[in-house]
Amino acid sequence: MKKHFRTAAAALALSASLSGAAFAAQPVTDVMVSQKLDQVNASVQLINSSMQQMLIALNQSAQNGTCWLDGKAFSQGAVATVAGHASACGVQPKTGWPQWRPVPEEESGLFGQ
């Protein structure tokens, strides 16, 4: 995830450098604009590719019934502490998407962390 934010930051820095040249009283040439746009385009393509990979992983997780907590994947039936309460990973009946559900206190013997 940090890689995706770094890539987005790089794209913003590139676009800022283009506008920065205009304010620095340097003449902006067509070649400069073209080079900067090529750099921004390459960054956007990298971000797009990364986002597609993330969406594919999320869709696979949803199909497998995987619940996520603090960057860790949990399979169905796993019990963990979510917001200070015992919760179990399960699938929503209406949507089929995984979710954390509260566990009654009498069933909450062991917790994942």
Side-chain angles (χ1 to χ4, degrees):
M1 192 62 140
K2 289 180 183 178
K3 178 182 175 183
H4 302 298
F5 289 124
R6 286 187 194 129
T7 305
L12 289 174
L14 288 172
S15 62
S17 68
L18 177 60
S19 62
F23 292 112
Q26 295 178 359
V28 178
T29 65
D30 290 343
V31 173
M32 288 173 59
V33 171
S34 178
Q35 288 173 343
K36 293 296 180 181
L37 288 175
D38 287 344
Q39 291 173 346
V40 170
N41 187 39
S43 295
V44 168
Q45 288 177 355
L46 180 62
I47 292 168
N48 186 36
S49 174
S50 298
M51 293 299 290
Q52 285 178 351
Q53 291 173 359
M54 288 173 48
L55 288 174
I56 288 169
L58 285 173
N59 282 330
Q60 289 173 347
S61 292
Q63 290 172 1
N64 296 334
T66 304
C67 294
W68 291 87
L69 180 64
D70 296 330
K72 297 177 186 172
F74 293 84
S75 60
Q76 290 184 42
V79 178
T81 302
V82 179
H85 302 286
S87 298
C89 176
V91 176
Q92 298 176 29
K94 291 182 181 179
T95 64
W97 281 82
Q99 71 175 16
W100 290 103
R101 296 184 192 171
V103 175
E105 287 187 30
E106 61 271 2
E107 296 178 23
S108 58
L110 297 175
F111 305 116
Q113 295 292 353

